[in-house]
Every structure is written in structure tokens, then in C-alpha cells.
Amino acid sequence: MIEQSPALILIPPFLVAILVALVGFRYQKVCFPLTVLSLAGSVVACVVTLMRVIEGGTIRYFIAGWAPPFGIEFRIDGLNALVAVTVSSVGLLAAIYSKNRVPAENPDKVSQYYTLFLLLITGLLGMVITGDAFNLYVMLEVAALTSYALIAMGPKRATLAAYKYVIMGTIGASFYLLGVGYLYIKTGSLNMFDIHEVLKANDLFGSPAVLVAFIMITVGVWIKMAFFPLHAWLPNSYAYAPTTSSAILGPLVTKVMIYVMIRLTLTVFGVEYTFIQLEWSNIVVWMSVLAILAGSISALAQTDLRKMLAFLIIAEVGYMVGGVWLADETGMIGAIYHIIADAFMTLCVFLFAGILFAKTGKRDLSAMDGQFKKMPLTLVGFLVGAFSLIGIPPTAGFFSKWYLIQGGINSGHYEYVIALLISSLINAVLFFRMIEIAYFGVKPAEGHDHNHSSDHDSGRSEASASMLIPLLITAAILLLIGIFNKDLVAIITDFVSPFNIASGAR
Amino acid sequence: MELFEAISTKINYWVYIVIMMIGLFAMISKNNLIKKLIGMSIFQTAIILFYVSIGVKEGATIPILYHDQVHAAHGDHGEADTSHGEHGAVESHEADIHINPDDFTNPLVHVLMLTAIVVGVSTLGVGLAITQKLHREFGSIEEHEILEIIKSGK
Amino acid sequence: MSPTNITSIIPVLACLASLLAVLPIVLLRSKPNFREGATFVAGFLKFGLVLSMLPTILDGTTISYTLWEIVPNLTIGFRVDGLGMLFALVASSLWIVTSLYSIGYMRGLKEHSQTRFYSFFAVSLSATIGVAFAANLFTLYLFYEMLSLATYPLVTHHQDKEARTGGRTYLTHLLTTSIGFVLPALIFVFVKTGSSMEFAGSGFLKGYIGETEALILLLLFTFGFAKSGLMPFHSWLPGAMVAPTPVSALLHAVAVVKVGVFCILRVYSGVFGLEFLKELDLGTIITWIAAFTIIVSSLIALSQDNLKRRLAFSTIGQLSYIILGMALLTPMGATGSMMHIAMHAFGKITLFFCAGAIFEATGKKKISQMVGIGKRMPITMIAFFIGSLSIVGIPLAGGFWSKFYLLYGTVQEGQYAMLAVLLTSSLLNAAYFFPIVFKAFFCKPEESQFEAKVEEAHPAAVAALSLTALVTVVFFFYPEPFYSLAEAAASQFISF
């Protein structure tokens, strides 16, 4: 059983997705428990796999026993084990949150919704654990097709956003597919590790075809991760989708694509080629600086809460792309750590946005009016997420910034450091604006009134348990992975250090 | 002359790029949502064409072995190169049978494209479904009309 | 001399005492008397814990405790030395007095959300002690940030429009500078030295960075710890005066602002090392920045009619004394600078208590409305007089000693320009404090705005302000243990 753990990551959500599709529309009530159960199973399998990786190193799992490079291989090391745990647990938390929201927002499509939801998680997990470049494309499309549909289940504007996403997403995935094609021409292999071996053995790095492949794949992945200026599809999609959809897509889709980028640069093309031979580092870091600033500043201009968060995602993508391309070991560690941290903090704020929308029906910031009095516990959960996005210790966001800035200074990219700091400050403005509204109300009293209602709580109404619990768990996770970041970083370092990414200024 | 050579020897790549660009053009410049989807489909088909074309070899045939072919191969190509090249494994039922991979087109890319076609069809399906939903909600499938409706508020 | 070191968990407990008090405070929210009881128990416990370490520290021993390694190579660690002890003593003793005062003030005015108030007060104190006992730059930063956030609800306690504006200024200033300046400087130091950034008596930066880098880092740290109120990042302080007076008193005369200057002193002495600064001749630039703040803020204080705002600007000037003293890079200057942390704290808290007592009893905030108030509230105004004596630096109040050493420091180094600055500022201090006292007592009967009937504020408030005034006088005659602590610390920073 334990040996099969990599396959068991995918099997529960996949099979249950089919089951939900078959049974769900007759017995709508079973959809939610089945979804949660299957995702819990997936989380367990991920954690078991992670434990095995920590103990015994990389796990290679051949699907149906076909040996690579012909068969499809799941190859799980420290990096994707961690990301898989993140993906499955974010999925589980979002699923718990969805309990009341899905029937409320899509009353006649509950079973369809959960089917897509599970397939999305399957696709994302598949992307994370597969070791095969073409298999990755298939999983990418599974995740993409389901997310188009999940977004389109929203109100009017979501449909248009989903349409744009279909177009952009297809272009991105097609570019990726083309790149893989060129790699296949040169190497005759689709297994990522095998491709790297062949490239190295035959010294194919100088080949223009490999360069074309690299450009195609990188651009494709950038489109899918909404790297500025290829981000146009993202804000409206996430802002208008059903709240559960944005709670699952926001944290995961971009982060998994960053994982794919790291996997391709480190494993397929190799550090030597990507960072030294190509000499792209400087340009890409500058692009990420632009992405960070553009994302943050656009977020500042938004009045719609979820749209603001969507722009923050674009800024965060800049953090991670920059962190990877600093070509510095600490920067890479920071970027990988940020994948995990950012998944949870984005989940945290999107869950909160969902709760707020559920409670007030308003999309803009005025929904925060006086919420400190009405739902203090919910606000505490939100505060942790907001502090993490700002980067206040001891939340996870502080430590990811710590490593990223350290990487920036190490490699001498001060522009990146400054961009990170500016973005932190803008985040501070954004979130304290919300906190102020929640604390003071939209229009605070002119003078101060001594006869305020004293300590007893008036009109308190927390979010329902199914929404509150995942929010608080996420907040707790943010604090935990912040305080115990050293253990997490130890795993990441074990993964990154064999690649010998240069440390220090060049 | 060089240019001509560059085009003629790699005609398949040029063709796929031209088709792809036609698709991309449609996706970007057309106002009608269905036309955009058609462009998308062309775009994806171009890639499929590219993949299929890279599996082709001159004078090669489909990779299916008949019983007598196996024996013929045994006679003709006794010393054929058996190193695992880039064109897949050498099928052998008996230890001393060798088959020249150059005689067969590469089947793997075609198999891959079966998957890609399925993906393409599903994408098109989802795209059409979304267009239908748009039509139901906005009463139009022209992008600028929809944008106007949104701008005018509800 | 090689200071010995012992490992003990007491510093951690001293830090946690008030943090853990939050639980009983919240649980006892419906019983105000028990709730305040919990505050007092925690206060005395904390003070006791700090005090219990005093003899060891006076012996020249340091106490340290490492909690755990949070980032590879970086620990959350506590270490108590002379400077930290001095500051912790001031903060923990004044917490008790302030709690006493806030009971009088908050109940007298029937403020809302008192539980929240006391809870965040306790958290702030934990952060303050955490800063005092931080063993390395990283721990220091963590507690510094914690303090910024924990005091926000206190500053904006009234939750009205004015509070929102004040709170906004407060947070923007503090967060911009700490995230924008201190954090990159911190990481830069970490990257360059690769060390755990433990504070050392003589600094640890020497040999790792060049002159230009040192200057940039120094400025980043100096302006980054904006809690010190150094111009031009001072305007949060007057803004934060919207807070209830106990908050202004403890946090803005004692804890928050002192944390700012404390951090700067720590960085100068523990990170750069005074000898290293002297080598690079970086002290001068800091003294001039501080001198500018001293003079300008004193002049602004003169023009303020709102008593609390005048006190706030006075604080800004006094804080720069401390920075200036350390930047003189002489033993006497350093001693005076550290003593001023304590002396100014007791003097200024008395003044704030008085301002609050006046407001609570009469509702007056403006100085122009306080003519003749000495007849109505004699105890308060006498305490106010003692407090201002201490700030100006006139004998019979503890402030005399710190000013004395500061002046001694300037003479020792031959920095007559700074001597002139300090003396001018003292004159200005006198000019903005004494007229208040004078008008309060000696005005013509027709000018007086109060009836000659004695009517003081809530007894708890009066007790608190009398106590601090008394202590201020006591320090003139017996400036221990602060003098010993400051001198011991100074001798470790720089050779006599």
C-alpha cells in the first residue's frame, strides 16, 4: 500500500469525480462528503509520500510498471512532494468551505460543480507529480478545462472572463506543447529526466532548436501563470468566478505553474543552460520587478475586493519568477518556500473575501464596515492572511520575503529587493485600508463618544462553521509554516543544493 | 537561394507556422466569438500537424509488422544497428530478429496527437458551451456588443 | 574584562509574563476589578522577575537564553546586559504605575472596550521587554514590529475620525520605515556577515563592510527605527496623541519612543561598535541630525497650545538627546545617553499623567485654558513642576544627572557646537514649560479660569502622578541603579 502512495494521490479525487458525476445529480447530498473524503485521502497520500521522500530520497513510480523513458513515470522528490501536499491541502480546505456556498451559488449544478472541482485537483496534482513532459501537458489541459468551466459557473461577467481565459489558456498550453515537440525532435524522449540526460550527453545545449523549445515552453508557462504582461486573463476570471472557484484557482493555478517553471529550469534544461549560457537572468528579473510593481499598483486602484486580490496574485507571481531567476540558491529556496506560503495566504484572503461576499452580498470594500464587531474570529483569520501578505513576522509571508530579499542581495539584484519592499508597503496600505473600515466603520463618528456600548458584544454573527473552520486552519498553517520555516527550508535546501546554483554575486 | 533552401527543406515547419499564424490572427482580431474559437481550433490543428510531420520519414511505412516481414527482416538486416536510437524500441519476439527502424515512421508522435486531438476537441467544446452561455446572458456573440452591455451597467 | 555569561530562562519569563496576562484579562472581562487585578499581578510579577536579575547584571554578568533557531543561522534569543536591564527596569516599573493611573482615567471617563485596552497594553509591554532583552538584531526586529502593531488599537482606541487619522499616520510612518529601511539593512547585514547577528559589546560589523556601506547602513538603521521620532519621521508622535492619556504616557513617553532610541543605541553599540564608528568618523553626522531635531522640535513645542502636543514635541527633542549622547562616542556621552532613557521616562510620564488628570477633571486640553489651575489642582501642578524641572535638567530632579553627563561628554570630546545645542535646548525647554506652571499658580484672580476650590482628579490618577514625581526627586539624590548600569554598559562599549 505504502509503495503505491504516489498513485494514491491521484486515484481518490479522480475516481470520486466520476462517482460524483454518476450519483450526484440523483443524491445531491452525497457530493460534499464524498469530495471532502476523497481529498482527505489525497492529503494523506501526499503526506505519506512526503515522509517517504524525506526518509528515503526520490521516489520513482512507474505507471502500470512501464519503465521510462517509454512509460510514464511519477518522480517525486522534495520539491514536488511539498507542492503536492500544499495543493491537496488547499483543495481540502476549499472543499470544506464550499459546503454552503456551492448550493447557494449554483443550486442546480452541485454535482457538476464537485465533479469539476475534483478533476481540477486531479489535474493540478498530476502536473505536480508527473515526470513526463507530455503527460504534464495533458494534466495541464485537464486542470485548464475544468477551471474554465468552474469560472464560467459564475454570474454574467464571469462567463466573458472565462471565455478570454479559454483563448489565452489555449495559447499558453499550445506553446508549451510546441516546445515539448522541439525537445522531442532533438532528444527523442519525453521523460523530463531523460531529456536532460540526452541533452547533456550529446551536448545539445547550443542547438537553436533547444533554444526555440526553451522560449516556447517559457512563454507558454508564463501565460498560464499570468506573468506580467501576459496576465490579462486573470483579474476578471478570479474576481467574478463563484467564490469557491476563486478560492481554489487563486491559490493553486498560478503556483502550480511556477512549480512547472522551476521543474523545467532545474530538471529539464538545467541550471547551467538556463542561468549561465542564456544570460537572461537580468532581463527576467527586471520583468519580474515590473510585474511586482504593476500588480501592486493596479491592486491599489481596485475597489472590488476580489479583483484587488487577483492583482496581488500577479504581483506575487513576480516575486516567484524573480526569485527563481535571481540565479541564486537562497533566491530559489525563497521562491519555492513562497509557492507554499503564498498558496496558503492567497487561500486565506480569498476565503475571507468569499465569507464577506456571502455575509453582505457586496463586492467592494464597504462590505468590511464594522465587521470587527460582527465577526471578530473571522477577522482574526483574515488578519493573519493580510499580515502574511504584507510580510509581518512571524507569519509565513515574512520569511518568504526574508529569503527572497536575501537572494536578491546575494546576487546583487537590488532593483528586485526594492520592488519587494515597495510591494510590501503597498500591501500594507491595501490591507490597513480594509482593517480601518472594519475597525472604524465607513464613516467614523466625528467626535468621540464616551458612552459607547461597553464590553459586551452587540450584533455578533460569525461566519458559519464550514466557512470559519477552513479560514482559521489556514491562518494557523500560515503561522506554523512561518514559525517552523526552518524545517521546511531544510527539505527545500536538500532538494536545491545538488543543482549547485551559484551563490553570491557574479 | 539560401532562403529558398531554408524553406524547401523544412517545408513542414513553414507550413505549420503559417497555419498557426492564421489561427492566432483569428483569435486576436476577430470580433465574433465563434470565429475566435475557429481560430483557436486552427491554431491547435497546426500544432498537431507539426507533431505528425516530425514522425514522418522518407520511404518509411506504418509501423505494423506482418509475420513474413519479421522473417524478411531477419534475412536482410542481420547487422542492423540495434542501439536504441531516437525512434523507439526494437520489437523482437525472438532473440535473433532485427528490424531496421528507418523503415517505419515514428508512431509515438501520432499516439501523442490522438491525445492532443481529444484535448483540442474538449477545449472547443468548452469554448462553445461558454459562448452559448454568453449568448444566453447577453444576447450576442459579438465581443464589442457584449463589452458595451457591460459598460452600460448590467 | 571578559563578561561572564549564565544561561537562565528568567528573561523569557519576564517577557512572557504580560503576554500570558492577556488570557485572564480577556476571561475576566465581565468583572473589571478582577481584570485589573490580573494586570497588577502580571505587572508585579514582571517587575519582580526583572528586578531579580538586577544583582547579577550589576556584577557584570550577562544572562542569556536561546529559544530556538527560526531561520538557518538565526535564533530567537534573549540576552540581558546593562543597557537592556536599565530599559527593562524603567518599562516594567512604569507599567505598574500606569496601570494604576489608567484605572483612574479609564473609569473616570467611562471609556468603552476597556478589556481590549488592557489586553493590548499587556501585549505591548511584552514586546517592549522583548526588545530590551533581545540577543540579536533579528529578535529585536521581531519585537519591534510586534510593538508597532500591538499599539495600533491603543492609539486608535476612540475609534472616531480623529483616531483614524492619527492611527493612519502612526502606522504608515512606523511600517514604512521598518519595512522600507530596517528590514533591507537587517538582511544586508545578515548576508554580508553570515553570522547570527548577536549583539556584541564592541560590535560585529567591523571588517565586513566598507565605509560607504557603513554610512548607508547607519542611516538606514537610524531613520528606520522611526519610533525614536527623529526628524523627518517624527510626525506620527503628535498624531498619536489622540490616544487616551495613559497610552500616550506609557507608550509615547516611555515604551514606544524609548524602544526606538533603544534600538538605535543597540545598533550603534552592539552592531557597529562605537570604536568602529569612531574609526570611520560617522558619529558627527548623527550628532548633527540629532541636533537639528532637538532645536527644531523645541521651537515647534513653543508654539503648541494643546498641552499633549507640546509634550509630544518636547519628547521628540529629548529623544534626540539620547541619540546625540551615544553618537558623541565618548564614555560620558554614552553614560548620559543611557541614563537619560530612565530620567526622561520618569519625568515625562509625570507630565503626561498631569495632562491626563487635568483633562479628566476639567475637560481642558489647551494651555491657554489652564490659567489659574494651580489653585484647583495643586498636587497635580506641583508634580507637573517637578516633571518639567527634570526635563529641563535643573537640580532637585533626576534629569539633572543625565544632562550633566551629556554635557560632560561634549566637553570631553571638545564638541562645543553640541554643547551649545544642548544648552540652547535647555533654555527652550524652560521657556515652554515654566510659563504653564507660573500661570497656573501666580495669576491675577480675575484672570483665573477656575474657582479656588480644590478638586483633584480620580484618586488613583493622583496617586500615580505623585508617585512618579516623587521618584523623579529621589533620583536626584540617589540615581541608582541606573547610574551603575549605564556606566557598566558604557565601559563595555568604549574604553575610558
Side-chain angles (χ1 to χ4, degrees), chain A residues 107-393:
Chain A
D108 50 344
K109 296 202 189 84
V110 174
S111 74
Q112 289 94 322
Y113 191 94
Y114 279 113
T115 309
L116 290 169
F117 188 94
L118 285 168
L119 282 176
L120 172 71
I121 305 280
T122 315
L124 293 172
L125 283 171
M127 278 160 82
V128 172
I129 61 177
T130 188
D132 185 279
F134 189 79
N135 190 235
L136 198 153
Y137 166 74
V138 177
M139 289 302 189
L140 183 83
E141 285 288 19
V142 170
L145 288 170
T146 46
S147 52
Y148 305 147
L150 283 176
I151 291 170
M153 283 192 175
K156 277 183 171 186
R157 292 197 61 179
T159 320
L160 186 65
Y163 183 89
K164 284 186 177 153
Y165 188 18
V166 171
I167 300 286
M168 286 298 276
T170 307
I171 294 178
S174 300
F175 271 135
Y176 173 82
L177 184 60
L178 263 181
V180 172
Y182 277 95
L183 277 181
Y184 180 72
I185 294 175
K186 288 314 273 190
T187 63
S189 177
L190 288 170
N191 182 290
M192 294 184 194
F193 308 87
D194 198 42
I195 292 175
H196 185 65
E197 290 306 314
V198 175
L199 284 176
K200 212 161 70 179
N202 302 322
D203 198 24
L204 291 169
F205 285 114
S207 153
V210 174
L211 180 65
V212 170
F214 185 81
I215 294 173
M216 291 281 187
I217 289 180
T218 311
V219 171
V221 172
W222 279 352
I223 293 177
K224 294 293 281 186
M225 71 168 73
F227 184 49
F228 182 85
L230 307 168
H231 67 283
W233 58 269
L234 188 141
N236 280 344
S237 306
Y238 289 2
Y240 297 108
T243 56
T244 314
S245 299
S246 45
I248 189 75
L249 296 171
L252 291 185
V253 172
T254 50
K255 254 54 77 178
V256 169
M257 287 322 291
I258 301 220
Y259 157 78
V260 170
M261 182 181 72
I262 294 176
R263 172 62 70 198
L264 292 169
T265 42
L266 289 186
T267 307
V268 177
F269 290 97
V271 173
E272 182 88 0
Y273 180 71
T274 321
F275 296 142
I276 298 170
Q277 199 174 330
L278 277 185
E279 298 184 331
W280 278 19
S281 263
N282 282 330
I283 303 166
V284 180
V285 171
W286 271 108
M287 283 170 72
S288 74
V289 167
L290 278 183
I292 294 171
L293 296 180
S296 300
I297 292 169
S298 317
L300 209 49
Q302 303 306 319
T303 50
D304 183 314
L305 175 56
R306 271 195 285 161
K307 209 163 185 175
M308 175 190 113
L309 297 177
F311 275 107
L312 283 187
I313 292 179
I314 292 166
E316 303 280 333
V317 167
Y319 283 26
M320 287 174 272
V321 175
V324 170
W325 285 85
L326 288 173
D328 177 84
E329 189 172 318
T330 323
M332 183 66 81
I333 292 172
I336 296 172
Y337 179 75
H338 197 68
I339 293 181
I340 301 162
D342 193 40
F344 284 107
M345 57 207 199
T346 317
L347 174 69
C348 191
V349 287
F350 267 106
L351 285 182
F352 177 75
I355 291 175
L356 209 55
F357 182 65
K359 280 261 160 199
T360 63
K362 286 189 211 160
R363 312 185 51 91
D364 60 346
L365 296 182
S366 67
M368 292 291 290
D369 187 8
Q371 297 293 2
F372 258 112
K373 273 242 169 64
K374 288 183 202 144
M375 38 186 202
L377 262 181
T378 318
L379 257 288
V380 167
F382 163 71
L383 276 187
V384 175
F387 283 0
S388 190
L389 276 164
I390 301 171
I392 287 170

Side-chain angles (χ1 to χ4, degrees), chain A residues 417-501:
Chain A
V417 174
I418 292 169
L420 277 190
L421 294 173
I422 292 178
S423 140
S424 292
L425 292 174
I426 292 181
N427 286 0
V429 172
L430 287 173
F431 287 111
F432 277 105
R433 197 167 65 180
M434 291 172 64
I435 293 167
E436 267 185 0
I437 298 175
Y439 186 65
F440 295 101
V442 174
K443 284 195 186 104
E446 283 289 339
H448 116 257
D449 172 16
H450 289 304
N451 302 320
H452 272 289
S453 58
S454 55
D455 285 339
H456 64 81
D457 326 297
S458 54
R460 196 164 155 179
S461 70
E462 290 284 356
S464 63
S466 68
M467 295 196 269
L468 185 59
I469 289 170
L471 181 74
L472 292 181
I473 293 178
T474 314
I477 290 175
L478 278 176
L479 288 172
L480 284 179
I481 59 179
I483 292 169
F484 299 104
N485 74 83
K486 191 172 146 253
D487 307 303
L488 209 56
V489 167
I491 302 173
I492 300 172
T493 315
D494 280 346
F495 166 77
V496 172
S497 55
F499 291 100
N500 281 325
I501 306 168

Side-chain angles (χ1 to χ4, degrees), chain C residues 409-422:
Chain C
T410 58
V411 177
Q412 199 180 28
E413 192 69 352
Q415 302 226 26
Y416 294 107
M418 291 305 136
L419 181 71
V421 167
L422 290 181

Side-chain angles (χ1 to χ4, degrees), chain C residues 52 66 137 144 179 188 232 236 246 281 314 380 405 410 417 478:
Chain C
S52 72
T66 304
L137 205 48
Y144 182 89
I179 294 179
F188 188 82
W236 62 269
D281 196 23
S314 160
T380 308
Y405 282 108
T410 58
Y478 187 68

